[in-house]
Amino acid sequence: MIRDTVRAFVTDQILPRIGDWFEQGFLPKELARNLGGLGLLGMHLSGYGCPGASAVAYGLACMELEAGDSGVRSFASVQGSLAMFAIHRWGSEEQKQQWLAPMAAGEKIGCFGLTEADFGSNPAGMRTSARRDGGDWILNGTKMWITNGGIADVAVIWAMTDEGIRGFCVPAQTKGFTANDIERKLSLRASITSELVLHDCRLPADAAFPEVHGLKGPLACLNEARYGIIWGSMGAARTCYETALDYAKTRVQFDRPIAAFQLTQQKLVDMLLELGKGTLLALHIGRMKDGGRAAPDHVSFGKLNNVREALQIAREARTILGANGVTLEYPVIRHMNNLESVLTYEGTSEIHTLILGQAITGKPAFT
Ligand code: TGC
Ligand code: FAD
């Protein structure tokens, strides 16, 4: 039922407009309330106005959203799995009371600032700092590539303190906080990506997440968003596969539909195999997560495999569409370009390879 509901929403509300939004580099802020109304923001969290759905249900929703566009799934991922999850997992009771219900409803938007221009794969080196000043905190630094940054009401900011990395809830109206949107992206165009500048931002003592210190704070949140991508990438791949299959059945060359050529069938069958395997993998990891058995390494396994295969499916689909494959009249090149970002964010394919390499050999090879 959840899958069908989200699929109908995407068909009615997203697909008729997404080509234009992608071309214009735009995502309407009002989408937040629509997604919130459907219970898709913080869907797998419990209490504080969140639906408490299973991991599999949440995954299915991500798959359907990303079958529309990776930017739409990204919006829901950042809101629910990064910003809301961070507050839900690490926040004080007051922070949860203040932010979670309005964020679940889409009335307030959140973003998650971990990456910096010089510290992407290696966030441990971050320069953004938080120092105590009497009872307050003073934050300085610049975060880069932050999804939803320019439309956020609250930013979850990870900053270096004397006690290691800590997380902070930074309301967007805080003096010294500015967001500058990044223009000229050729991927994830229907998604707001911003630079966040923190210049002597003064925050009360209770802006900090009370307990968590160190990189495990943000990395625990990444597990959640990476999990959604395992499913979401298969949604994008499914749209590419279905588009290519439909096109191949009707496009005639040499007096035959191109679907009748063995080389085209080979491509379609290879796409179908990886789509089926990736979807089953997502379901398997989802069931492990629901059973409390999914470790971060399992999530890396799924993210690495499914995004890599989704991108390959998109590229193959693009070839089947020939010249039509390079226009926004069809969804394939939009998904293909989006998946380049999905391959990079939430841990690049190389980082997930190294995480798995360490898991099987016991030897870290990051440095
Ligand atoms: P390392 O020494 O391995 O670990 C530091 C501490 O963190 C713990 N830990 C984890 N905890 C929970 N979940 C995980 N997946 C964890 N991985 C590690 C670890 O146990 C340790 O805890 P403790 O208590 O001993 O302190 O850390 P490292 O500095 O060697 O880094 C490891 C590495 C490279 C894997 C990590 O830095 C990494 O994953 N880098 C990639 C960065 C990344 O993915 N950034 C994503 C930014 S957000 C984003 O892209 C949003 S995109 C928008 C959208 O989703 O749509
Ligand atoms: P780098 O870390 O500089 O990597 C460049 C290349 O070097 C990659 O191929 C990488 O795999 C490789 N490399 C790096 N280290 C190693 C190594 N040890 N061994 C082998 N190869 C290595 N971040 C947020 O915090 N919040 C967000 O909301 C957010 N949204 C994003 C939205 C978009 C559209 C994009 C594109 C990015 C977003 N990011 C966000 C940032 C994203 O997480 C980073 O881009 C990503 O972690 C990679 O960092 P980097 O771009 O600095 O690349």
Side-chain angles (χ1 to χ4, degrees):
M1 188 193 74
I2 289 171
R3 183 201 61 192
D4 292 348
T5 303
V6 182
R7 190 177 292 188
F9 168 76
V10 168
T11 303
D12 295 345
Q13 303 293 324
I14 306 294
L15 295 186
R17 303 177 180 90
I18 188 66
D20 289 341
W21 294 344
F22 187 93
E23 195 165 15
Q24 294 157 14
F26 169 75
L27 190 72
K29 197 176 170 180
E30 302 72 57
L31 194 63
R33 285 177 189 265
N34 296 335
L35 294 171
L38 286 170
L40 301 179
L41 303 176
M43 183 178 170
H44 61 313
L45 305 178
S46 297
Y48 308 97
C50 303
S54 69
V56 169
Y58 169 60
L60 284 166
C62 287
M63 184 161 73
E64 295 307 322
L65 291 176
E66 196 150 357
D69 193 83
S70 300
V72 178
R73 195 270 309 142
S74 252
F75 180 92
S77 284
V78 168
Q79 176 86 350
S81 282
L82 292 180
M84 289 176 70
F85 180 86
I87 296 169
H88 195 275
R89 177 73 182 84
W90 303 121
S92 64
E93 187 56 33
E94 291 72 25
Q95 288 167 330
K96 293 178 197 182
Q97 294 287 353
Q98 180 179 3
W99 292 110
L100 289 177
M103 289 173 83
E107 291 158 9
K108 298 284 182 196
I109 296 176
C111 67
F112 183 89
L114 177 64
T115 304
E116 299 179 3
D118 293 334
F119 297 96
S121 296
N122 180 26
M126 68 174 64
R127 292 205 185 97
T128 296
S129 67
R131 67 176 166 82
R132 290 183 193 271
D133 183 50
D136 293 344
W137 287 98
I138 309 286
L139 269 64
N140 277 289
T142 305
K143 296 291 176 180
M144 192 62 181
W145 302 111
I146 307 306
T147 303
N148 297 349
I151 53 172
D153 299 288
V154 60
V156 170
I157 296 291
W158 299 95
M160 191 61 80
T161 73
D162 286 345
E163 310 142 7
I165 293 169
R166 294 192 65 176
F168 296 83
C169 278
V170 183
Q173 75 272 18
T174 304
K175 191 162 175 277
F177 178 91
T178 43
N180 307 306
D181 292 346
I182 297 169
E183 308 289 348
R184 307 185 78 189
K185 282 180 296 161
L186 295 178
S187 173
L188 242 343
R189 287 187 55 72
S191 176
I192 313 296
T193 317
S194 315
E195 172 196 58
L196 304 181
V197 181
L198 298 117
H199 180 70
D200 286 337
C201 285
R202 179 177 289 276
L203 295 165
D206 62 6
F209 292 150
E211 302 294 339
V212 70
H213 292 60
L215 209 50
K216 73 175 181 218
L219 291 181
C221 308
L222 296 186
N223 292 333
E224 301 300 307
R226 290 169 176 173
Y227 167 75
I229 290 172
I230 300 173
W231 287 87
S233 54
M234 286 297 106
R238 187 187 77 211
T239 298
C240 293
Y241 164 74
E242 289 176 351
T243 305
L245 179 61
D246 282 353
Y247 189 88
K249 286 179 182 169
T250 54
R251 173 70 178 172
V252 174
Q253 288 293 291
F254 300 96
D255 302 322
R256 299 163 71 190
I258 59 172
F261 299 127
Q262 289 183 355
L263 287 176
T264 308
Q265 291 189 4
Q266 174 85 71
K267 290 180 188 178
L268 290 166
V269 169
D270 285 346
M271 290 159 72
L272 178 65
L273 288 176
E274 294 309 326
L275 179 59
K277 287 191 278 184
T279 305
L280 286 171
L281 175 60
L283 180 61
H284 183 63
I285 294 174
R287 287 176 174 162
M288 289 173 75
K289 192 162 162 55
D290 279 327
R293 289 178 289 112
D297 297 343
H298 297 119
V299 174
S300 285
F301 187 104
K303 201 267 182 183
L304 173 61
N305 182 77
N306 283 13
V307 180
R308 195 160 67 184
E309 294 305 330
L311 189 52
Q312 188 55 31
I313 288 169
R315 287 175 180 155
E316 283 287 47
R318 217 288 306 150
T319 68
I320 291 175
L321 269 67
N324 279 319
V326 307
T327 77
L328 280 174
E329 298 304 312
Y330 293 87
V332 174
I333 200 160
R334 175 168 54 77
H335 282 296
M336 191 182 98
N337 281 9
N338 284 340
L339 287 166
E340 292 289 349
S341 285
V342 183
L343 193 72
T344 285
Y345 68 32
E346 294 287 357
T348 65
S349 47
E350 292 80 6
I351 289 298
H352 288 292
T353 302
L354 292 172
I355 291 172
L356 291 174
Q358 179 176 5
I360 58 176
T361 66
K363 299 189 189 309
F366 296 99
T367 54

